[in-house]
Amino acid sequence: MIVQRGAIHNSNGPRHEVPVVTYDDDDVTIKSDSTITDMTVVIRDQYGNVMHQSTQTVGPAETTLYVPNTDGDSEKTTIDLYYDRRHLSGTFEE
């Protein structure tokens, strides 16, 4: 699942890629073409409860977070990424 992918072109500076988020069962992987420091990652379940929250440095090498579902009671539903005064949001597809 790609939460969001694209490029922001800045005529005054280098190109900055939007992070790409994928998942496989309990592992959520985030990567970006450029290094992003102090990215806050928040993953919520279908009830809006926080399942995972951390601050990461994300770059070309994949950052993998282990976020298990809880036996059908709670499933990953949304992810929010906060960095550089940006807020990206996405949903996990079944």
Side-chain angles (χ1 to χ4, degrees), residues 12-61:
N12 297 324
R15 181 177 167 193
H16 181 75
E17 290 290 327
V18 174
V20 175
V21 179
T22 59
Y23 76 103
D24 182 22
D25 294 323
D26 295 336
D27 293 324
V28 177
T29 303
I30 307 169
K31 78 183 228 183
S32 176
D33 285 347
S34 60
T35 300
I36 302 169
T37 56
D38 297 329
M39 174 188 287
T40 300
V41 179
V42 180
I43 297 174
R44 297 181 188 274
D45 67 10
Q46 69 269 30
Y47 307 110
N49 301 316
V50 174
M51 296 179 73
H52 174 90
Q53 182 170 345
S54 64
T55 301
Q56 306 287 326
T57 296
V58 174

